[in-house]
């Protein structure tokens, strides 16, 4: 049993295979104290961890100093204005302008499985997978109830949290912050891990020592963003890939977020995560309910690598959905970097024919096929085929591509509107816009008001028509600018603070509709590359375009950061043109393929311009993808060496769950003269199994490969690499 309540101790416990989480009811008032989160322990009677009766702490019932009690109490879901001066999860304003909220225990429920969150993406699991604790707490003065949900997974060190706020009082309230989770702990000399970046350099790993005050990452761009990830982990300062404790949070949400770690006066740590409060305000009428998105908490006592593998398993099994959840993803050719806007049917078919000859399985037509779009200045919103470029339309094109034995996929950017479009001329109010301001363009476009049902219906009807008009088996859903001028013609003045969140809910609603109407569709999300790579999007699309940076060497860092929490099976990765369109670097064709191979593999260049030698390599690369792609997709991921740390070489390895095969993707980035061959200790093998190396034919035990190591092949020159397979030898 993973969740239980010890009535005598007044302690709730949640157990996962390697962790325990304890919540205690404190004092007669029933405050929710946070007692413990860490390695699994058998005890419940650990109220002493709260220290409410010793040292500086005084019990709340000693009414003389409630402030000293609340300001240091490790707590589960802090309110505001009553003595806890750290970050609060719930901030409420009454009509009279009072800003205070204090929540105490009312009741609880424990049940098998995990309820879905209405209108929101979330991890899922049945009774055999997880158990849920729902704690109801209340502020009697406000007449406000919060239901705090904690789901513990049976086989993974994961606890998922969210909160549902209900106004049971007689007057309207305003939520000015409604975060999803809080974790209070003692300091253990923590480093804070985050993923930061910018366009074309998404998800760079950051590691800083956590000091006094607040360390915060956030997005106010309306999307989770390339700049910061909705992720934060506290890792013991000495933690490595394989050792040390790590506490991580990741937000299953695609809009504005806040992730913050705070060290307060008693050297206590508070980590919180949720919707970013500054751009948020929600009017809760009597009877109204607000549901926060979900935070995934992962605990690892096996270092950063342990955290990574837990996230991967959770997202592969309990977040990604649909027919492609466990299926190989088709190798593809995308025409964007091959043609940009300059294409016609014949040019596309030339590329498709070369692709088909090489064995590529799908052709994706990117931006520029609709309206009068010959550059990025027009036509978003007018989703009708440009028959000047594509005579016979998509039906003809897709039939020709299908006749070559390939699937056909198509690009859309449904959330946007070009001022130069028929849609904008007819409905300027469909765009987000502040009355009296002209509205800021980004990439020459405005953002549609996705909070509006009529706007969504209008765009969706066009998408539906196109997708029903031809055999389109894949959609790339792009989103190429952040939200600004955030105001809606359809919302009252005092509800404009709801718009960011309503926008995200609108996007989710539309993607859900798409999947319902086209259940076999493979959806890939994208936002100027990887600007909205988050668990919320993964609930709808099993893969996301990782970055517009397709240079193989830059991609090493981007993919390393992405794989810190997201499975390799979710990362779009393409062999692109050379010199790179991003940074003009030249890398060998073979290396570009090696870097892309662990992800959702494809090509994005003009195949008709490859040299005969390069063209001849494609079938072998596709064969590797077919033969070993499943190990990367379904196996355990080990980060063995990081080019961004050592400046010289990169190595990742995937080991199949049955430990019979391991695939090592080694990239020799910069040559350095060494007298000795580099020896790389492997991880994750079965010490007792014998494995043969595809590189040398040598057979050694898993123990030898792990504790001795594997001699990396010597290479002369830069930007080279090797795929090395270790397969179990039948004995
Ligand atoms: C941004 C995407 O990341 C690219 O792959 C491409 O689809 C362009 N948009 C098209 O405008």
């Amino acid at each position: 049993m993973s969740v239980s309540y010890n009535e005598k101790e007044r302690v709730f416990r949640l157990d996962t295979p390697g962790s325990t989480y304890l919540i205690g009811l404190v004092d007669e008032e029933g405050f929710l104290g946070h007692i413990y989160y860490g390695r699994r322990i058998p005890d419940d009677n650990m109220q002493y961890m709260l220290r409410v009766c010793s040292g500086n702490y005084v019990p709340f019932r000693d009414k003389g100093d409630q402030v000293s009690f609340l300001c240091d109490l490790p707590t589960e879901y802090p309110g505001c204005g009553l003595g806890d001066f750290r970050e609060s999860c719930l901030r409420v304003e009454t009509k009279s302008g009072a800003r205070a909220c204090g929540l105490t225990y009312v009741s609880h429920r424990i049940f098998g499985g995990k309820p879905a969150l209405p209108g929101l993406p979330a991890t899922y699991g049945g009774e055999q997978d997880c158990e849920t604790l729902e704690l109801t707490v209340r502020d009697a003065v406000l007449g406000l109830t919060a239901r705090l949900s904690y789901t513990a997974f049976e086989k993974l060190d994961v606890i998922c949290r969210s909160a549902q706020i209900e106004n049971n009082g007689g007057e309207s309230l305003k939520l000015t912050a409604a975060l999803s989770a809080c974790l209070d702990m003692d300091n253990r000399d923590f480093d804070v891990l985050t993923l930061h970046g910018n366009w074309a350099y998404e998800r760079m790993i950051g590691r800083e020592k956590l000091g006094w005050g607040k360390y915060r990452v956030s997005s106010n761009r309306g999307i989770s963003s390339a700049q910061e990830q909705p992720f934060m982990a506290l890792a013991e300062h000495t933690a490595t890939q394989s050792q040390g404790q790590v506490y991580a949070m990741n937000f299953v949400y695609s809009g504005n977020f806040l992730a913050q770690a705070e060290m307060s006066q008693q050297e206590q740590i508070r980590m919180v995560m949720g919707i970013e409060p500054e751009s948020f305000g929600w009017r809760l009428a009597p009877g109204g309910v607000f549901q926060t998105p979900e935070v995934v908490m992962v605990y690892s006592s096996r270092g950063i690598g342990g955290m990574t593998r837990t996230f991967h398993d959770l997202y592969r099994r309990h977040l990604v959905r649909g027919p492609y959840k466990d299926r190989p993803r088709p190798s593809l050719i995308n025409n964007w970097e091959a043609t940009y806007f300059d294409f016609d049917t014949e040019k596309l078919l030339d590329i498709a024919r070369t692709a088909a000859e090489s064995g590529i399985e799908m052709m994706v037509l990117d931006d520029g096929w609709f309206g009068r779009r010959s550059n990025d200045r027009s036509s978003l919103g007018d989703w009708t085929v440009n028959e000047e470029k594509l005579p016979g339309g998509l039906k003809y094109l897709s039939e020709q591509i299908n006749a070559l034995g390939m699937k056909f996929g198509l690009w859309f950017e449904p959330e946007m509107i070009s001022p130069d479009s028929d849609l904008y001329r007819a409905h300027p109010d469909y765009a987000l816009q502040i009355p009296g301001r002209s509205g800021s363009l980004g990439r020459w476009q405005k953002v549609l008001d996705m909070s509006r049902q009529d706007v969504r219906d209008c765009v969706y009807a066009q998408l539906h028509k196109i997708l029903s008009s031809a055999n389109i088996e894949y959609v790339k859903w792009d989103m190429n600018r952040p939200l600004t001028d955030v105001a809606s013609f359809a919302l009252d003045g005092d509800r404009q603070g709801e718009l960011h969140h309503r926008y995200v809910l609108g996007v989710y609603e539309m993607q859900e509709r798409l999947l319902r109407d086209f259940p076999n569709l493979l959806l890939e999300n994208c936002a100027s590359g990887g600007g909205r790579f988050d668990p919320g999007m993964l609930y709808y699309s099993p893969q996301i375009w990782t970055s517009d940076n397709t240079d193989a060497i830059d991609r090493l860092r981007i993919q390393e950061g992405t794989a810190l929490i997201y499975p390799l099976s979710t990362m779009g990765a393409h062999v692109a043109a050379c010199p790179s369109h991003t940074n003009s670097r030249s890398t060998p064709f073979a290396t570009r393929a090696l870097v892309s191979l662990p992800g959702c593999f494809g090509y994005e260049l003009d195949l008709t311009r490859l040299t005969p030698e390069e063209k001849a390599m494609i079938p072998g690369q596709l064969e590797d993808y077919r033969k070993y792609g499943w190990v990367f997709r379904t196996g355990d991921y080990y980060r063995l060496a990081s080019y961004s740390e050592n400046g010289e070489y990169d190595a990742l390895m995937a080991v199949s769950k049955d430990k019979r095969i391991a695939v090592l993707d080694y990239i020799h980035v910069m040559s350095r003269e060494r007298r000795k061959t580099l020896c790389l200790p492997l991880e994750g093998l079965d010490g007792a199994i014998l494995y043969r190396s595809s590189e040398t034919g040598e057979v050694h035990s898993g123990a030898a490969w792990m504790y001795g190591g594997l001699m990396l092949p010597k290479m002369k020159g830069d930007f080279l690499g090797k795929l090395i397979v270790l397969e179990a030898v039948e004995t």
Side-chain angles (χ1 to χ4, degrees):
M1 198 170 53
S2 30
V3 182
S4 58
Y5 178 53
N6 181 330
E7 222 169 318
K8 183 167 153 266
E9 299 292 339
R10 302 176 78 209
V11 167
F12 298 94
R13 68 177 296 131
L14 295 100
D15 287 314
T16 68
S19 76
T20 294
Y21 190 104
L22 299 178
I23 302 166
L25 295 182
V26 185
D27 224 87
E28 284 136 16
E29 311 276 338
F31 291 98
L32 284 188
H34 175 72
I35 299 177
Y36 173 81
Y37 186 31
R39 280 192 181 81
R40 187 155 172 165
I41 49 172
D43 318 52
D44 287 342
N45 60 343
M46 288 178 66
Q47 290 265 16
Y48 69 88
M49 295 285 290
L50 295 168
R51 301 187 192 90
V52 279
C53 295
S54 63
N56 287 337
Y57 298 79
V58 288
F60 191 78
R61 61 179 163 272
D62 173 7
K63 300 278 188 206
D65 195 352
Q66 294 166 345
V67 174
S68 299
F69 169 87
L70 278 176
C71 76
D72 294 322
L73 177 74
T75 191
E76 283 298 320
Y77 197 70
C80 63
L82 299 173
D84 185 344
F85 302 101
R86 296 158 292 180
E87 191 75 25
S88 49
C89 276
L90 190 61
R91 282 188 239 152
V92 187
E93 202 177 297
T94 60
K95 264 193 165 160
S96 67
R99 296 170 189 191
C101 170
L103 300 163
T104 50
Y105 174 80
V106 177
S107 63
H108 72 270
R109 286 199 306 141
I110 294 173
F111 50 91
K114 182 174 189 296
L117 302 186
L120 282 165
T123 57
Y124 55 85
E127 289 189 8
Q128 69 291 353
D129 304 310
C130 51
E131 211 171 355
T132 298
L133 165 67
E134 190 188 87
L135 284 166
T136 301
V137 288
R138 188 160 90 100
D139 181 312
V141 176
L142 293 174
L144 174 139
T145 303
R147 277 179 290 279
L148 311 179
S149 170
Y150 298 74
T151 298
F153 277 79
E154 285 286 339
K155 295 201 177 114
L156 295 168
D157 290 327
V158 173
I159 294 174
C160 291
R161 294 179 57 176
S162 62
Q164 199 178 69
I165 322 295
E166 186 170 347
N167 182 357
N168 312 114
E171 77 167 43
S172 201
L173 298 170
K174 183 148 193 191
L175 307 181
T176 56
L179 303 188
S180 299
C182 167
L183 178 60
D184 279 358
M185 293 184 286
D186 282 350
N187 189 14
R188 290 175 196 271
D189 197 12
F190 282 127
D191 284 351
V192 55
L193 299 185
T194 53
L195 292 166
H196 61 97
N198 52 54
W199 173 76
Y201 291 92
E202 299 91 343
R203 292 171 294 286
M204 304 285 120
I205 298 173
R207 184 169 183 165
E208 310 270 346
K209 192 163 168 44
L210 184 64
W212 296 104
K214 295 178 176 178
Y215 188 100
R216 154 199 174 111
V217 293
S218 65
S219 168
N220 58 3
R221 293 166 185 262
I223 49 176
S224 47
S225 89
Q227 285 69 20
E228 304 288 353
Q229 256 292 306
F231 161 77
M232 182 171 274
L234 297 178
E236 287 176 323
H237 184 59
T238 50
T240 62
Q241 276 294 319
S242 53
Q243 287 171 26
Q245 297 195 86
V246 184
Y247 297 85
M249 285 188 182
N250 197 193
F251 200 24
V252 188
Y253 190 61
S254 311
N256 292 345
F257 73 89
L258 167 72
Q260 182 175 285
E262 169 180 8
M263 182 148 72
S264 57
Q265 56 176 358
Q266 305 285 352
E267 243 186 276
Q268 287 169 301
I269 304 296
R270 170 167 292 176
M271 176 158 58
V272 294
M273 186 171 273
I275 293 178
E276 197 253 346
E278 275 174 33
S279 53
F280 172 84
W282 198 274
R283 195 177 76 196
L284 211 54
V289 175
F290 181 79
Q291 173 65 56
T292 75
E294 172 170 280
V295 163
V296 170
M297 293 198 314
V298 167
Y299 170 75
S300 166
S301 57
R302 295 164 295 118
I304 295 163
M307 171 200 79
T308 295
R309 287 182 289 282
T310 302
F311 273 122
H312 287 193
D313 282 342
L314 180 79
Y315 291 161
R316 288 184 299 205
R317 291 187 213 151
H318 300 287
L319 180 66
V320 166
R321 304 175 294 166
Y324 282 93
K325 179 181 176 193
D326 298 317
R327 279 224 310 260
R329 312 290 161 68
S331 57
L332 65 85
I333 169 74
N334 177 305
N335 74 307
W336 179 241
E337 288 199 21
T339 66
Y340 296 103
F341 294 101
D342 184 17
F343 59 81
D344 56 22
T345 302
E346 259 329 291
K347 176 71 199 156
L348 296 174
L349 288 178
D350 275 351
I351 295 176
R353 277 187 282 269
T354 319
E357 278 161 24
S358 309
I360 295 172
E361 296 160 294
M362 181 162 72
M363 167 98 190
V364 175
L365 173 54
D366 212 281
D367 195 354
W369 56 266
F370 52 94
R372 282 172 286 101
R373 190 152 164 103
S374 50
N375 54 41
D376 55 12
R377 295 192 178 198
S378 85
S379 301
L380 293 168
D382 298 344
W383 299 105
T384 47
V385 183
N386 180 336
E387 295 246 2
E388 271 171 37
K389 279 186 182 180
L390 304 173
L394 295 174
K395 187 158 171 53
Y396 174 74
L397 181 65
S398 61
E399 278 170 3
Q400 296 300 304
I401 288 171
N402 289 164
L404 293 168
M406 296 169 80
K407 294 175 190 289
F408 175 64
L410 194 62
W411 179 99
F412 285 97
E413 194 174 357
E415 298 159 62
M416 295 293 150
I417 183 163
S418 305
D420 178 13
S421 66
D422 293 341
L423 187 68
Y424 191 76
R425 280 182 282 273
H427 298 286
D429 62 303
Y430 276 15
L432 295 177
Q433 190 153 326
I434 297 173
R437 293 185 185 272
S438 58
S440 334
L441 297 182
R443 207 199 190 203
W444 304 100
Q445 62 205 47
K446 292 189 175 194
V447 183
L448 280 170
D449 182 353
M450 297 294 281
S451 74
R452 280 172 61 172
Q453 187 72 53
D454 56 343
V455 173
R456 296 199 300 272
D457 287 349
C458 163
V459 177
Y460 187 77
Q462 297 186 58
L463 253 65
H464 193 281
K465 195 164 170 204
I466 291 284
L467 293 177
S468 311
S469 72
N471 186 20
I472 300 168
E473 299 182 69
Y474 159 108
V475 162
K476 178 175 173 186
W477 179 304
D478 204 348
M479 196 284 185
N480 281 307
R481 59 154 290 179
L483 273 58
T484 59
D485 305 85
V486 180
S488 169
F489 288 99
L491 282 177
D492 292 347
D494 73 335
R495 284 201 178 272
Q496 294 289 339
E498 301 175 11
L499 186 49
H500 269 293
H501 183 56
R502 288 184 183 276
Y503 179 97
V504 178
L505 293 177
V507 172
Y508 290 152
E509 188 262 349
M510 228 171 121
Q511 295 207 353
E512 189 69 45
R513 239 198 285 183
L514 192 64
L515 299 178
R516 190 197 58 213
D517 291 351
F518 302 93
N520 294 319
L521 192 72
L522 172 57
L523 186 61
E524 176 159 348
N525 268 293
C526 170
S528 307
R532 200 163 58 180
F533 202 125
D534 59 58
M537 288 283 103
L538 286 179
Y539 186 67
Y540 303 94
S541 66
Q543 59 193 62
I544 300 177
W545 182 226
T546 310
S547 176
D548 274 350
N549 189 335
T550 46
D551 166 60
I553 304 307
D554 281 352
R555 268 289 180 128
L556 292 174
R557 274 184 89 180
I558 296 167
Q559 293 179 187
E560 178 188 353
T562 307
L564 185 72
I565 44 180
Y566 301 116
L568 302 175
S569 59
T570 64
M571 296 194 307
H574 300 169
V575 176
C578 180
S580 158
H581 291 188
T582 322
N583 61 13
S584 303
R585 184 184 279 129
S586 293
T587 47
F589 192 69
T591 306
R592 282 176 265 154
L594 275 180
V595 172
S596 303
L597 209 62
C600 303
F601 186 66
Y603 295 82
E604 188 161 334
L605 73 179
D606 189 345
L607 293 172
T608 63
R609 293 196 187 172
L610 292 180
T611 64
E613 295 74 35
E614 288 172 335
K615 225 182 268 180
M617 285 185 215
I618 297 179
Q621 295 169 348
L622 293 171
E623 180 60 12
D624 282 345
Y625 182 53
R626 261 188 296 274
K627 256 172 103 177
Y628 306 120
W630 70 272
V631 186
F632 291 120
R633 215 175 49 249
T634 63
D636 289 329
Y637 164 91
Y638 292 89
R639 167 56 53 183
L640 300 180
S642 160
Y643 159 63
S644 53
E645 279 172 19
N646 63 37
E648 200 182 340
Y649 64 102
D650 205 81
L652 67 88
M653 191 170 85
V655 183
S656 66
K657 288 283 180 189
D658 66 1
K659 298 198 183 283
R660 304 292 296 172
I661 180 166
V663 189
L664 172 69
D665 199 16
Y666 166 61
I667 306 294
H668 165 96
V669 183
M670 289 286 169
S671 264
R672 177 180 142 196
E673 193 44 47
R674 290 176 174 275
R675 272 175 295 126
K676 281 186 164 180
T677 310
L678 270 177
C679 185
L680 184 71
L682 306 185
E683 284 186 54
L685 302 173
D686 182 330
I689 292 183
L690 294 176
Y691 297 89
R692 174 174 287 114
S693 157
S694 63
E695 181 64 11
T696 61
E698 286 168 283
V699 175
H700 295 296
S701 67
W705 291 119
M706 289 192 291
Y707 312 136
L710 177 142
M711 293 297 167
L712 290 170
K714 273 203 160 188
M715 292 182 176
K716 285 209 173 295
D718 296 338
F719 311 142
L720 302 172
K722 262 276 156 71
L723 199 70
I724 301 173
V725 181
L726 294 179
E727 262 182 291
V729 176
E730 298 304 334
T731 48

